[in-house]
């Protein structure tokens, strides 16, 4: 399956892989890569870099929203092969090393197999290596405590725990864009809703904190949402977060 690359702002690309997204932030020859898809998305990931006129060697850093297999898939490959630093929130660093795993278990998925879309999604996950573990051997916490990172796109990390302890969204204030990972999505194969929403409950490590983190996203100025799952959402990010919170009640 070929990844779909969509330019959503100057040098800002949302890429749809196999039911998960990643983002490319391009500044001249250098790029920041936010998330990396499933392990099976690697050919699409590399193709997407080429499509925007870049390459793995030009990736200044990989930023991870959270260390689930469908976002971490090629992070260690880039670190090991090209020396690319992999940055996460400090609470997510041990998760990326797989000192523990805050991810829905196969058993929990099977207990929810009666829900529409769950079985086809699970079959897909198995096909693209979603149950494989690809820990990052040497992940790093963000090099600055707060404010923009000195990377292409100047992303600002914002801690949004709940989906995992160290889940982080990335704000691009000058572009009015929020890269929301799984803290706020616009669709999922196992969800009945479309538009801004939380993922189904089984995917969250602490659902109550995930709901609280929608309030954090609500404070971010932006009119374009780039989620970890689903299409780009255009319109007030604050309004999207409010809608998701109302739907979660």
């Amino acid at each position: 399956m070929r990844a779909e690359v969509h330019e959503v702002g100057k040098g800002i690309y949302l890429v749809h892989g196999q039911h998960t997204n990643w983002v490319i932030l391009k500044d001249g020859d250098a790029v920041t890569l936010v998330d990396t898809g499933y392990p099976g998305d690697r050919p699409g990931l590399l193709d997407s870099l080429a499509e925007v006129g870049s390459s793995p060697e030009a990736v200044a850093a990989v930023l991870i929203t959270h260390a689930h297999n469908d976002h971490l898939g090629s992070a260690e490959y880039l670190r090991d092969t090209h020396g690319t630093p992999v940055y996460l929130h400090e609470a997510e660093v041990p998760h990326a090393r797989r000192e523990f795993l805050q991810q829905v278990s196969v058993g929990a998925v099977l207990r929810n197999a009666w829900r529409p879309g769950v079985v086809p999604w699970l079959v897909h996950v198995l096909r693209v290596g979603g149950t494989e573990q690809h820990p990052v051997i040497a992940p790093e916490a963000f090099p600055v405590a707060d404010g923009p990172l000195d990377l292409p796109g100047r992303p600002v990390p914002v801690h949004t725990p709940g989906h995992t302890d160290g889940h982080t969204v990335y704000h691009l204030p000058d572009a009015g864009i929020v890269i929301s990972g799984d803290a706020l999505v616009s669709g999922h194969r196992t969800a009945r809703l479309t538009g801004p929403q939380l993922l189904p409950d089984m995917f969250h490590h602490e659902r109550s904190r995930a709901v609280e983190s929608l309030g954090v996203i609500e404070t971010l100025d932006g009119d374009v949402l780039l989620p970890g799952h689903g299409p780009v959402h255009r319109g007030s990010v604050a309004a999207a977060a409010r809608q998701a919170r109302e739907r979660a009640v």
Side-chain angles (χ1 to χ4, degrees):
M1 177 180 175
R2 184 176 177 82
E4 297 179 10
V5 179
H6 301 274
E7 187 168 14
V8 295
K10 183 175 174 55
I12 302 170
Y13 304 87
L14 178 67
V15 186
H16 298 303
Q18 299 185 74
H19 300 296
T20 192
N21 302 332
W22 56 90
V23 176
I24 300 170
L25 307 177
K26 191 168 187 284
D27 185 1
D29 294 331
V31 302
T32 300
L33 183 61
V34 183
D35 287 341
T36 65
Y38 284 104
D41 276 312
R42 186 172 303 162
L45 178 71
L46 299 178
D47 287 347
S48 70
L49 289 170
E51 188 168 335
V52 305
S54 188
S55 67
E57 295 82 1
V59 179
V62 175
L63 302 180
I64 298 296
T65 58
H66 64 293
H68 282 170
N69 295 346
D70 56 334
H71 297 260
L72 199 68
S74 287
E76 175 59 17
Y77 162 79
L78 291 167
R79 191 204 66 81
D80 182 57
T81 305
H82 301 286
T84 313
V86 178
Y87 295 125
L88 313 89
H89 187 275
E90 61 182 356
E92 202 71 2
V93 167
H95 193 196
R97 287 196 296 254
R98 286 299 181 260
E99 295 177 15
F100 55 82
L101 184 61
Q102 295 178 340
Q103 185 158 336
V104 64
S105 67
V106 173
V109 173
L110 292 176
R111 287 193 296 273
N112 284 271
W114 59 273
R115 298 181 184 276
V118 169
V119 170
W121 170 80
L122 179 58
V123 170
H124 164 78
V125 166
L126 295 172
R127 190 174 68 247
V128 296
T131 59
E132 300 172 9
Q133 299 300 330
H134 292 263
V136 180
I137 303 304
E140 303 174 56
F142 301 125
V144 295
D146 53 57
L149 300 174
D150 187 17
L151 293 170
R154 303 281 291 172
V156 180
V158 180
H159 187 208
T160 49
H163 187 64
T164 65
D165 286 345
H167 190 288
T168 297
V169 306
Y170 297 96
H171 188 203
L172 310 178
D174 291 343
I177 290 176
V178 174
I179 303 169
S180 59
D182 285 5
L184 174 59
V185 303
S186 61
H188 192 267
R189 195 165 183 173
T190 64
R192 297 180 181 180
L193 301 173
T194 58
Q197 60 187 285
L198 282 179
L199 286 169
D201 293 354
M202 67 176 174
F203 292 113
H204 300 296
H205 179 60
E206 290 185 84
R207 183 183 183 276
S208 61
R209 293 183 78 196
V211 174
E212 290 175 5
S213 285
L214 291 172
V216 176
I217 297 173
E218 197 174 334
T219 69
L220 303 178
D221 185 30
D223 54 13
V224 178
L225 183 75
L226 305 184
H229 301 276
V232 58
H233 178 80
R234 298 186 183 275
S236 166
V237 171
R242 282 195 299 272
Q243 182 179 357
R245 188 164 52 178
E246 290 165 0
R247 286 174 154 184
V249 172

